[in-house]
Amino acid sequence: MPHWPQHGRIAGPIVMIGFGSIGKGTLPLIERHFEFDQERFVVIDPNDADRKLLDERGVRFVHLGLTRDNYRDALKKYLTAGEGQGFCVNLSVDTSSLDLMRYCRELGALYIDTVVEPWPGFYYDKSLGNEARTNYALRETVMEERRKNPGGPTAVSCCGANPGMVSWFVKQALVNLAHDLGDKAPEPKTKDEWGRLAQRLGVKGVHIAERDSQRAKQPKPRNVFVNTWSIEGFLSEGMQPAELGWGTHEKWTPANAGLHNSGSRAAIFLNQPGANTRVRSWTPTARAQFGFLVTHNESISIADYYTVRDEKGEAVYRPTCHYAYHPCDDAVLSLHELFGRAGEIQSAHHILGEAEILDGIDELGVLLYGHARNAYWYGSQLSVEETRALAPYQNATGMQVTSAVLAGMVWALENPRAGIVEADELDFRRCLEIQLPYLGPVIGAYTDWTPLVGRPGLFPEDIDESDPWQFRNVLVR
């Protein structure tokens, strides 16, 4: 058995909100790596299907769904029990990340989540309009809270695999690329320095390029949505408009694109669902592939973080950034089934547990493109077999998320007065140091592939042959 290091002591209560696939996977990592008071560890969830895992450990389970009306009473009761600074680990759906984060900070507690989640109804509210349903809009609510209330207890926003871990991969990939291209400048220490490094290296954009090849032992049943992680989470973001950070090198804009008139203006959205929007991308094992341009916080935060502005505040450099996600084959079939019935979501959902998966990996990384070496992918190639050997209750997809939550928790404990932060702002070396033992092979790979390889083929296409890395060439139309 490996020796697992303890990374810190949580002096106050731990309140985990949500005990789905990610909550179950995070539980053993908290137990393994932190010293804490077992009697003040509380899990809150409206579904008690897996409470046996908690009962076996002596972890208190509260059978409750948090709402606008009860969240303050519940958090105050459990986060302020006894002495020491509490820690809220929010791994739920249908709860407002902003409201929970704000109140945890009022109570003096640390906080972490994996997504900016709204209260129920937001994702499918036709009255809002597409711009208001974007992750850009959700992120801006957190940024506004940070501007109004700087500093204070640390709240780490959007710290899972992606968003989260991939922001640390981008920095490591830039360091590797700088070395290989002979850039001799010192490693960046500030946001501005990181942006200028990406600009200097000629990075036009970043794909969060993922291929989930985990295969179920049994075929997908009809009228059941099958996935390797939260189906509610995937469907909600998949039915939002496709979104991407919008780079300064782009010369063409899709006809159905929407722009933002406030905030960072680092992104655009398309008036079509992300789970029905395809893009061309590349990962080392799958090679060239189609992925879905599903909206994610990191598509906006990465583009925003690496923006370089002139003296007037105008953006003179920004990379394009978006997700290019090929989920497991059963999830792809589930999406075809869903959109074949005009977006009617299946009533039955099933998340594949580690015991139900025959084989496969989740190959998740960042593809930095447009520079002198064309494109460079850096990321994790975690297999379900290695996942089983590392920790219980999760598949490869889940472990990439839970280990990032662990890393974010460690950083928050070591930096308890950092205020509201995103993963891009954390110490990437420290976070990867914590997370790497759980990621399987982590590799870097160069490729000569571009979105123009083999095009045009038998049919004429509207492409820009002068610059392979224009989004005009990436988007499948």
Side-chain angles (χ1 to χ4, degrees), residues 131 134-137 139-140 143 147 191 204-206 242-250 258-269 293 295-309 313-322 369 422 424:
E131 181 177 0
T134 60
N135 270 348
Y136 183 98
R139 177 176 181 261
E140 281 299 317
M143 295 297 99
R147 287 188 289 269
K191 175 182 180 296
K204 293 182 176 179
V206 179
E243 286 183 87
L244 63 159
W246 194 240
T248 47
H249 77 286
E250 301 289 1
L259 307 178
H260 300 283
N261 296 317
S262 61
S264 68
R265 303 182 186 180
I268 66 170
F269 65 95
L293 200 165
T295 178
H296 261 203
N297 185 86
E298 79 273 9
S299 300
I300 306 158
S301 73
I302 290 172
D304 190 10
Y305 186 83
Y306 290 93
T307 297
V308 176
R309 299 184 183 275
E314 297 295 323
V316 295
Y317 167 78
R318 177 186 294 128
T320 292
C321 183
H322 62 78
Y369 59 81
E422 294 182 296
D424 310 272

Side-chain angles (χ1 to χ4, degrees), residues 17-19 44-49 61-66 92-93 95:
I17 306 172
F19 200 59
I44 302 174
D45 196 291
N47 187 332
D48 65 352
F61 176 76
V62 178
H63 193 193
L64 177 71
L66 294 186
S92 63
V93 296
T95 61

